[in-house]
Amino acid sequence: MGRDGTRVRDEGPMYTLIPQLLTARHDAMNMTTIDIPIEPMRKYLNKKRREGVRLSNMTLILAAYVQMVSEFPSLNRFVSGRKIFQHNDISVSLVVLRPGDRANNGTMGKLYFDPEDTVFDVQRKLDEYVEKNSSTAKEDENGLDKLMAPLCKIGDLVNVVGWVVRFADRHGLLPKAFIDVSPFHASLLMTNLTSIRTNHIYHHVYDFGSTSIALAMGNMRDVPKRGKGGEIELVRSLPIGVVMDERICSGHYFALAFARLKELLANPEIMEQPVSTRHLKVVK
């Protein structure tokens, strides 16, 4: 039994104290929107398609996140029991809509990434995840479905079970088998609302579990930008709603990290190589 992370013991006084004052994630949420110009991504995807390589916007966003976290590992932290922990892996919770259940019966699961994953590794893992979780066959249910199904049949006792699970989560007593299938215990929650033609939102981070960052992609929009000559031009962009637990690192650190995310998506070719080959200095 335990948590899905390792205790951080070398944090400065300010970030050691903050979790004692802001004891819940909903009390420490910061929100912003990042607009990603779509043209560099579109050109790159078209180029790879001509080369016979199929990639997607979702893949590029995921790959940029994985490589950003590899360079800025403090983004992979979480607060539990008023203490700061570092995730033991890079995991992303995603919703998959199953055929015929588009209205409300999707499933949720996790992908696991390696810090050295390239954009091609991310696409392969995403394809495997979607194929595995899109099936409606009983024998193909994922771990979360198998865990939740019996709980839905015990009536009011589910309240007692819920209390026990929340207590165990607060005190680091959840079994590893539970954490492995729980979408609430992940580095990132990501939702792609463009798949249902919906604008981006600010998706809350859960108090339960260990997810400190949520990203929500929405419908593309035109964003005004001042050109070199001073004129205003509209840039077609993909908006991403970002919600962050401010207790895991400083605002300056967040700003540097998401500036890197935008840089990677403006130059997707960079993500064809592992982070280590770019000789980047990991930012603590």
Side-chain angles (χ1 to χ4, degrees), residues 69-104:
V69 167
S70 299
E71 186 181 352
F72 294 85
S74 291
L75 261 65
N76 203 16
R77 292 179 174 182
F78 64 95
V79 176
S80 181
R82 304 188 185 186
K83 301 177 181 67
I84 300 176
F85 294 82
Q86 182 79 26
H87 274 286
N88 293 327
D89 50 39
I90 300 176
S91 54
V92 179
S93 292
L94 285 176
V95 174
V96 172
L97 296 176
R98 289 171 167 154
D101 287 337
R102 197 171 177 83
N104 56 15

Side-chain angles (χ1 to χ4, degrees), residues 143-155:
L144 179 65
D145 293 334
K146 293 176 180 177
L147 175 67
M148 298 299 291
L151 294 180
C152 295
K153 299 177 181 179
I154 61 176

Side-chain angles (χ1 to χ4, degrees), residues 15 37 59 75 90 97-98 118 142 148 151 167 181 184 188 196 215 229 242 251 277 279-280:
Y15 283 88
T59 300
L75 261 65
I90 300 176
L97 296 176
R98 289 171 167 154
T118 68
N142 65 19
M148 298 299 291
L151 294 180
F167 177 88
V181 301
F184 305 103
L188 173 75
I196 54 173
L215 302 181
V242 183
T277 65
H279 305 293
L280 296 172

Side-chain angles (χ1 to χ4, degrees), residues 171-196:
H171 297 278
L173 300 174
L174 285 176
K176 184 177 184 299
F178 182 97
I179 291 175
D180 287 344
V181 301
S182 167
F184 305 103
H185 295 80
S187 308
L188 173 75
L189 167 68
M190 187 170 182
T191 180
N192 181 13
L193 298 179
T194 60
S195 63
I196 54 173

Side-chain angles (χ1 to χ4, degrees), residues 36 71 256-268 270:
I36 306 297
E71 186 181 352
L256 289 175
F258 282 102
R260 177 71 76 222
L261 182 87
K262 294 186 71 173
E263 179 185 354
L264 292 171
L265 293 171
N267 304 277
I270 298 174

Side-chain angles (χ1 to χ4, degrees), residues 34-81:
I34 300 175
D35 286 296
I36 306 297
I38 200 67
E39 188 62 16
M41 297 170 63
R42 186 189 66 79
K43 287 183 177 180
Y44 176 73
L45 294 177
N46 288 341
K47 175 186 175 185
K48 303 314 290 185
R49 190 175 297 115
R50 290 192 296 269
E51 296 173 0
V53 178
R54 184 185 61 82
L55 300 170
S56 67
N57 287 336
M58 182 75 162
T59 300
L60 296 186
I61 301 295
L62 271 174
Y65 166 77
V66 171
Q67 295 204 357
M68 174 187 72
V69 167
S70 299
E71 186 181 352
F72 294 85
S74 291
L75 261 65
N76 203 16
R77 292 179 174 182
F78 64 95
V79 176
S80 181

Side-chain angles (χ1 to χ4, degrees), residues 12 65 113 119 175 209 244:
Y65 166 77
F113 297 101
V119 66
M244 306 154 282

